Amino acid sequence: LSGALRLDILRVKRQWLLLGNYNLVRSDQDQVLNDGFGHLRYGQELGGAWSWEAFAQLQYNRRLLIDQRALLGTGPRFQVHDREKLDLAIGLLVMYEYNELGDEPDLLFRHDYRISTYLTAQMKLTDDVTLASTSYYQPLVDRLGESRLSSVNALNVRLGQHLSFGTSFAITYDGLLASL
């Protein structure tokens, strides 16, 4: 069972983004995959190329031993390049992170602050082909060596007026999970 949701509300100076997904795969009585994710983001244009963002996120992923992860963050975003063929932006946010990690009875509870930097790009290669990429670097404020790196990349090919083909690739390294 798998499902995904994306809702964009775009106003002149404000944007809302709601993302969600859920995956459950079972083989006999074993859960091979069980994860869920919800993300809400608000952006307010400040003038020029600057805007301010705030977000909240909930996540769980049994395969990665994440019983629960909750994030709250805020910070500025700078639009480096905004043209029809290339859209490029960087962000520098501060976020609070609550984690419940591991398995019972050794469940680990963590409360941390992270810096969340990101680079996002969308390139229109042709009228029908678009490449999008967002990469994050998120070190802990008090232990910069314990960081999280992630990247999500997607290719979309329009095959007609009502049909397109899309594929994506995501990779994540989490220094906190690597230490468990």
Side-chain angles (χ1 to χ4, degrees):
L1 176 65
S2 184
L5 165 75
R6 179 181 177 126
L7 176 63
D8 292 279
I9 301 173
L10 305 173
R11 302 285 187 238
V12 174
K13 298 218 177 246
R14 301 183 187 98
Q15 303 84 35
W16 288 92
L17 171 65
L18 176 64
L19 299 172
N21 84 25
Y22 174 74
N23 297 295
L24 177 63
V25 176
R26 289 187 180 202
S27 174
D28 291 327
Q29 297 301 318
D30 296 329
Q31 288 185 0
V32 178
L33 182 65
N34 184 5
D35 63 63
F37 172 85
H39 182 90
L40 178 63
R41 183 173 293 258
Y42 172 77
Q44 174 73 47
E45 290 185 19
L46 299 175
W50 291 95
S51 61
W52 196 268
E53 295 183 325
F55 70 91
Q57 179 175 308
L58 290 173
Q59 173 186 13
Y60 77 96
N61 188 320
R62 290 303 312 141
R63 191 174 32 145
L64 298 178
L65 301 178
I66 300 172
D67 272 5
Q68 180 178 332
R69 175 175 284 159
L71 308 174
L72 286 173
T74 189
R77 172 186 174 114
F78 182 72
Q79 194 71 36
V80 177
H81 197 274
D82 188 10
R83 301 279 194 276
E84 183 180 341
K85 299 274 185 192
L86 176 65
D87 185 7
L88 184 65
I90 57 173
L92 176 62
L93 295 82
V94 174
M95 70 179 186
Y96 168 76
E97 178 178 66
Y98 170 78
N99 282 294
E100 294 177 12
L101 304 168
D103 280 323
E104 294 288 345
D106 299 318
L107 201 58
L108 172 68
F109 298 91
R110 293 277 304 251
H111 306 266
D112 295 304
Y113 289 92
R114 288 186 183 272
I115 299 167
S116 181
T117 59
Y118 69 85
L119 174 67
T120 183
Q122 183 167 327
M123 295 185 306
K124 188 173 182 180
L125 302 176
T126 70
D127 287 342
D128 297 322
V129 179
T130 304
L131 180 64
S133 178
T134 301
S135 297
Y136 293 91
Y137 173 62
Q138 298 173 326
L140 288 173
V141 170
D142 59 344
R143 289 183 306 280
L144 295 177
E146 191 174 299
S147 58
R148 183 179 302 127
L149 300 164
S150 66
S151 184
V152 178
N153 306 280
L155 177 69
N156 190 41
V157 180
R158 190 172 62 176
L159 301 174
Q161 185 176 356
H162 301 291
L163 183 66
S164 65
F165 169 79
T167 186
S168 64
F169 173 77
I171 189 167
T172 299
Y173 170 80
D174 192 326
L176 178 57
L177 293 176
S179 66
L180 290 179

